[in-house]
């Protein structure tokens, strides 16, 4: 039995699975994320959310391949790659792999040091570019990611605390494809991390329990714990905070981000859409690949993620 105060109920294993399937189905349909015969590329990290998402989509009959990006974050990346490969092999699923060090000559700790960005900023930019590229190159209809309700509510809180209209305008469960960018969808936005962990447990999914060492102590985790404290006092306020934003505020902000307004041209090095001659990813690669490798321990002081 799992106790879920926000639903005011206890769930046995079978009912928990049913709840997860229904919430994912509702998110996909309410937001018109993708069609039953679309080809999906699921970004997987080896953690509970992305593996649960891949499992739920395949079980529901979607054509979903996995995409794993080796970030070179010490032992954490080695272990996360092992979990993803084992999951795909056991189920006979197709996994696309990209390795930053092998293919681009850098890793996240080195990029962070070389570009003087906090690690999560260098990491987020690298992942966004490589997810887009893999989806476009592979002819997929959408990139899907395992962001759950806790993640999205924490990001929303961070954006609201700064009234960051630009990011608020792009914090939708689905972003349509546009010139050179694939569609992006987050089918787990109606499920909490407790629910995705329970899905993995019941379905026998061996996920990586350790979080990225760089995440520890960052602002995103602090916002999560603030929301958990509110949820403790007042169950279902977290889902109301995020889902009511999506229903009531997101439509008012649609199209108001600078990214939507900017004129796009093509990167002269990689061909990706960009607002300058050379895209931000190619500039990051050039600076990072020229830098001596930096071990992950050296960047653990410079944390932070949006
Ligand atoms: S992997 Fe990358 Fe996360 Fe680690 S460095 Fe930050 S963004 S915390 S999802
Ligand atoms: Zn480029």
């Amino acid at each position: 039995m799992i106790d879920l105060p926000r639903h005011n109920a206890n769930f046995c294993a079978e009912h928990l699975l049913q709840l997860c399937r229904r919430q994912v189905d509702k998110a996909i349909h309410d937001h018109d994320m993708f069609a039953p015969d679309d080809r999906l590329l699921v970004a997987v990290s080896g953690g509970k959310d992305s593996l649960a998402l891949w499992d739920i989509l395949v079980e529901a009959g979607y054509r979903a391949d996995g995409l794993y990006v080796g970030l070179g974050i010490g032992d954490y990346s080695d272990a996360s790659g092992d979990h993803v490969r084992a999951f795909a092999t056991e189920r006979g699923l197709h996994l696309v792999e990209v390795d930053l060090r092998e293919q681009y000559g850098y890793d996240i700790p080195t990029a962070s040091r070389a570009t003087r960005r906090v690690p999560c900023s260098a990491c987020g930019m690298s992942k966004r570019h490589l997810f887009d590229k893999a989806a476009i190159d592979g002819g997929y209809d959408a990139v899907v990611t395992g962001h759950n309700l806790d993640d999205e509510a924490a990001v929303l809180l961070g954006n609201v605390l700064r009234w960051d209209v630009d990011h608020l305008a792009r914090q939708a469960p689905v972003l349509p494809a546009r010139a050179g960018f694939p569609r992006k969808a987050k089918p787990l936005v109606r499920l909490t991390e407790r629910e995705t962990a329970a899905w993995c447990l019941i379905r026998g999914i061996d996920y990586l329990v350790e979080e990225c060492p760089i995440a520890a102590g960052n602002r995103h985790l602090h916002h999560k714990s603030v929301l958990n404290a509110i949820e403790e006092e007042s169950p279902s306020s977290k889902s109301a905070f995020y889902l009511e934003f999506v229903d009531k505020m997101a439509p008012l902000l649609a199209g108001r981000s600078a990214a939507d307004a900017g004129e796009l041209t093509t990167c002269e090095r990689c061909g990706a859409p960009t607002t300058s001659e050379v895209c931000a990813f190619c500039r990051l690669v050039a600076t990072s690949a020229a830098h001596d490798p930096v071990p992950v321990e050296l960047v653990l002081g410079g944390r932070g993620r949006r």
Side-chain angles (χ1 to χ4, degrees):
M1 281 287 184
I2 171 167
D3 175 30
L4 298 176
R6 81 183 177 108
H7 294 289
N8 205 10
N10 288 312
F11 285 76
C12 68
E14 194 41 51
H15 283 100
L16 191 281
L17 295 182
Q18 220 174 75
L19 166 97
C20 293
R21 291 183 191 113
R22 282 198 188 134
Q23 295 293 343
V24 169
D25 197 51
K26 184 166 168 49
I28 293 170
H29 287 100
D30 283 2
H31 301 290
D32 207 8
M33 289 183 172
F34 35 77
D37 56 351
D38 276 351
R39 284 185 66 230
L40 309 177
L41 188 60
V42 187
V44 279
S45 67
K48 61 188 182 324
D49 303 307
S50 56
L51 292 185
L53 173 60
W54 198 4
D55 189 45
I56 292 171
L57 293 174
V58 169
E59 193 209 36
Y62 288 101
R63 297 189 294 161
D65 292 342
L67 168 64
Y68 173 72
V69 178
L71 301 167
I73 303 177
D75 296 345
Y76 165 76
S77 286
D78 296 340
S80 64
D82 290 346
H83 280 77
V84 171
R85 284 179 213 109
F87 178 92
T89 306
E90 279 162 21
R91 290 159 183 79
L93 298 173
H94 180 60
L95 179 67
V96 178
E97 290 202 49
V98 178
D99 189 90
L100 286 187
R101 180 53 72 193
E102 274 174 27
Q103 290 165 251
Y104 293 93
Y106 76 98
D107 50 43
I108 294 305
T110 307
S112 168
R113 184 55 67 90
T115 62
R116 298 170 186 227
R117 288 168 173 260
V118 289
C120 291
S121 159
C123 184
M125 198 238 269
S126 302
K127 287 193 290 192
R128 276 193 300 279
H129 178 93
L130 294 167
F131 291 174
D132 291 352
K133 176 174 164 40
I136 299 286
D137 290 354
Y140 291 93
D141 295 292
V143 172
V144 288
T145 54
H147 296 94
N148 60 39
L149 178 57
D150 296 82
D151 295 323
E152 291 302 296
V155 171
L156 177 59
L157 180 59
N159 288 338
V160 165
L161 289 173
R162 295 189 306 278
W163 288 116
D164 185 338
V165 173
D166 201 45
H167 282 92
L168 284 168
R170 293 187 58 76
Q171 216 202 321
V174 63
L175 291 174
R178 64 189 179 99
F181 292 111
R183 190 167 0 134
K184 289 169 196 159
K186 300 171 186 169
L188 297 186
V189 291
R190 302 186 62 87
L191 288 180
T192 63
E193 53 191 25
R194 206 154 160 248
E195 290 155 359
T196 60
W199 173 278
C200 289
L201 207 70
I202 297 166
R203 296 274 294 171
I205 296 172
D206 181 20
Y207 64 88
L208 179 64
V209 177
E210 290 85 55
E211 298 275 343
C212 170
I214 293 170
N218 73 13
R219 226 170 30 219
H220 181 76
L221 288 190
H222 175 60
H223 291 154
K224 271 190 180 177
S225 60
V226 167
L227 286 167
N228 285 342
I230 297 172
E231 180 79 11
E232 182 84 9
E233 289 300 314
S234 144
S236 86
S237 42
K238 193 191 300 176
S239 57
F241 177 55
Y242 174 69
L243 295 174
E244 296 296 315
F245 162 78
V246 169
D247 272 2
K248 295 173 183 162
M249 291 304 296
L252 302 179
L253 295 167
R256 295 205 41 184
S257 84
D260 292 329
E263 282 281 314
L264 292 177
T265 147
T266 302
C267 170
E268 64 182 30
R269 291 192 198 160
C270 74
T274 176
T275 49
S276 46
E277 278 174 20
V278 176
C279 76
F281 176 76
C282 285
R283 280 183 269 134
L284 177 140
V285 172
T287 312
S288 309
H291 197 282
D292 287 340
V294 172
V296 64
E297 294 74 24
L298 288 189
V299 299
L300 291 180
R303 293 158 170 156
R305 159 169 103 168
R306 290 191 90 87

